[in-house]
Amino acid sequence: MFFSSPDATVLLRLSDGNIVDVNVAFEKTFGYERQFCRKKNFLSLKPWLDKGINKLILKTLQKGNRVQGLETQCRRSCGATFDAAVSCDTTTIDQ
């Protein structure tokens, strides 16, 4: 389901922001290859035009709440921007 989702999806560790994995839709939407992304810090990709979005998302998730449909502008690897509705939630994955 993760890899076949049409929505750009990234799994990352909340503790340090490092990317665990991204799906094909993320690769196509943001222009980064999966292997490039893995183990990078998500913010190092500079995905948001508004730098305050990350603080808002983290604060919401740390309170145990989810983010749904947060409208923002994102940046592709080539620098092009696009409008997006961002949703985030936390889960625990056994490794």
Side-chain angles (χ1 to χ4, degrees), residues 26-72:
F26 182 92
E27 289 180 292
K28 290 179 181 178
T29 302
F30 284 90
Y32 293 105
E33 292 183 12
R34 180 177 178 221
Q35 291 304 321
F36 174 81
C37 292
R38 295 178 81 187
K39 301 195 179 178
K40 287 209 175 289
N41 185 282
F42 182 67
L43 292 182
S44 73
L45 303 180
K46 300 181 181 173
W48 321 119
L49 265 62
D50 179 351
K51 295 176 184 172
I53 291 294
N54 193 61
K55 288 180 183 175
L56 174 64
I57 291 171
L58 283 176
K59 191 179 286 187
T60 302
L61 294 175
Q62 288 169 341
K63 289 181 180 177
N65 298 317
R66 70 173 50 157
V67 175
Q68 284 190 291
L70 176 64
E71 294 183 8
T72 189

Side-chain angles (χ1 to χ4, degrees), residues 2-3 8-9 14 18 22 24 33 35-36 39 49 51 59 61 66-68 72-74 79 81-82 88 90 94:
F2 170 75
F3 289 107
T9 306
L14 191 56
N18 286 344
V22 300
V24 174
E33 292 183 12
Q35 291 304 321
F36 174 81
K39 301 195 179 178
L49 265 62
K51 295 176 184 172
K59 191 179 286 187
L61 294 175
R66 70 173 50 157
V67 175
Q68 284 190 291
T72 189
Q73 287 192 306
C74 296
T81 61
F82 62 98
C88 305
T90 59
D94 293 329

Side-chain angles (χ1 to χ4, degrees), residues 74-88:
C74 296
R75 180 182 296 114
R76 291 185 170 91
S77 63
C78 66
T81 61
F82 62 98
D83 294 329
V86 176
S87 296
C88 305

